[in-house]
Structure formats: structure tokens, C-alpha cells
Amino acid sequence: SKSNPNIIYACDRTQPKIHRSNDAGNTWFTYYDFGSPYMLASAVAIDPNDPDLIYASAFAPPMAHRGAFLKIKNGQKIADMSSLLPRSVLEIEIDEKDPKTVYVSTHVYGVFKSTNAGATWNRLDDRGTGLPRTGIYDIDVDPFDNKILYATALSGPLPDYMLPSEGFANLEGKAGVYKSLDGGENWALILETRSEARGIDIDSTDNNNLYVA
């Protein structure tokens, strides 16, 4: 947590639970249990101004097509945003300078942005603005300039069993890292990779340094 470094959250990839530590990782307890029918916790993000408030997601079988996406405070669900997005959530990024602005990447469907703490969402990819329908894994907000965003992309068509429904337009575009200078309105490919780019991190002391996996 930015406001309290001793508070850490972790997704459980063996069961649908979010765990929390209040002592910098020395001890842990279950903060939230998604319960049945979910199979694992997929992402968590902490409100920078409130270490007790998180956004969290979980996958439901099969193939993570559907899932839960919740806002949780003090271990209790305070908002369910699952029905507001077309697929399960892979990554959650909260703008530290404006915590009501939240970005998520979703399974197959790409990137969505909310400017009202998750009440409504707008899609950022596949709009002819430089971010193609390519499958987005990670999205990061520049800690110095919150108009600058980075997204890592999969690229290439998916097998039929991973597609949401008949008639779904399969993925296209190039794998790599995409960058926006205007909060996601427009994008450009800044690093093309031979296969998928899964994660990106911005150096907290020098935003010219990027780390990509």
C-alpha cells in the first residue's frame, strides 16, 4: 500500500481468495473469499489513499471466460462490477493521482477505463486509435504523468475454444508494448516483440526506464 507500506495484498492462484499482511509479509490472513464457483483470484489493486479499499477479480471456469470483479473494503464486498465488463479481469491499475480513474485488461476483450471509481466503463482498444484488438495483459500508469499509459499485448488469432462466442472477431495487430500520451485516447506501438509481452513496470525514480517481460 502506498499509504501504509506494511499492508500487502496477494492473489491466491490455488483458490479464490485474497490474502493480506499487516506486517510487511511476516504474517498473512484471508481478507476476502470469493467462494464457489470461482477457481482462483486473478488480480488485486489497492486504493492509494485507503489501504483497506481494494479492487479484486477472480476467474470462473471454464477458461476464465467469466469471473467476479469487486470493490472490497474492510473485508466486505461494497460493489460488484462483474456485469459491467464482458469478460473476466486480468489486470487492475488505479491512477495514483486520481484514484477514481481505474484501468482494467480483460480476457480477450482488451482494455477498459473508468473515471468514476468503477460505476461505468469505456473500451480503449479496437477503436481505430492505435491500440488494436490484440489481447492486452498488463497496463501501467506513469507515476510522474498520469496521462501516459503503457499496455502489453498478445497479438495473433486465438484458437476457437478461447473465443467468447460465434461471430467474435478474432485478435489482430502486433505483439509488444503500446503507449498512450493522453490517458488512453490514442496509442502507438513503441516496442514490437516476436511473441506476447505479458508484463511492464515503470521505474519509480526515472520514468524513462521501462521493464518488459
Side-chain angles (χ1 to χ4, degrees):
S1 165
K2 292 291 184 182
S3 55
N4 186 343
N6 288 319
I7 296 178
I8 305 170
Y9 292 89
C11 294
D12 195 325
R13 292 307 179 101
T14 65
Q15 51 190 336
K17 296 180 178 180
I18 300 293
H19 302 292
R20 170 170 164 160
S21 172
N22 291 330
D23 54 13
N26 289 311
T27 60
W28 295 84
F29 62 93
T30 298
Y31 187 71
Y32 188 80
D33 186 346
F34 288 92
S36 179
Y38 302 102
M39 56 185 179
L40 58 84
S42 55
V44 62
I46 311 170
D47 188 294
N49 297 329
D50 184 354
D52 297 319
L53 176 62
I54 62 172
Y55 293 75
S57 59
F59 287 168
M63 295 302 299
H65 288 181
R66 291 291 178 182
F69 180 37
L70 309 178
K71 194 184 301 184
I72 301 162
K73 184 173 174 64
N74 297 322
Q76 300 295 317
K77 176 178 69 176
I78 60 171
D80 188 339
M81 300 167 286
S82 309
S83 64
L84 302 179
L85 296 169
R87 298 279 275 191
S88 54
V89 171
L90 299 176
E91 163 71 359
I92 308 164
E93 178 79 1
I94 302 174
D95 185 336
E96 294 180 2
K97 294 183 177 181
D98 179 11
K100 288 187 177 181
T101 298
V102 183
Y103 301 88
V104 299
S105 63
T106 62
H107 188 264
V108 177
Y109 268 87
V111 176
F112 292 80
K113 177 180 181 179
S114 174
T115 56
N116 51 17
T120 58
W121 297 86
N122 294 311
R123 187 169 178 174
L124 300 183
D125 68 311
D126 197 24
R127 299 189 309 145
T129 56
L131 187 64
R133 188 178 63 252
T134 185
I136 303 298
Y137 281 114
D138 194 10
I139 182 164
D140 268 19
V141 178
D142 189 302
F144 297 94
D145 183 348
N146 63 350
K147 292 295 184 182
I148 298 177
L149 311 175
Y150 296 91
T152 59
L154 167 66
S155 183
L158 295 173
D160 290 343
Y161 70 88
M162 292 188 70
L163 298 180
S165 62
E166 291 184 9
F168 173 80
N170 212 324
L171 302 185
E172 59 183 13
K174 296 179 178 179
V177 178
Y178 291 81
K179 180 178 182 178
S180 173
L181 298 174
D182 53 12
E185 292 298 316
N186 297 279
W187 298 81
L189 179 67
I190 62 167
L191 173 67
E192 183 176 354
T193 54
R194 185 172 292 182
S195 62
E196 62 192 25
R198 280 187 173 264
I200 185 167
D201 200 15
I202 305 167
D203 190 325
S204 60
T205 61
D206 183 352
N207 63 346
N208 290 310
N209 294 330
L210 307 176
Y211 303 90
V212 179

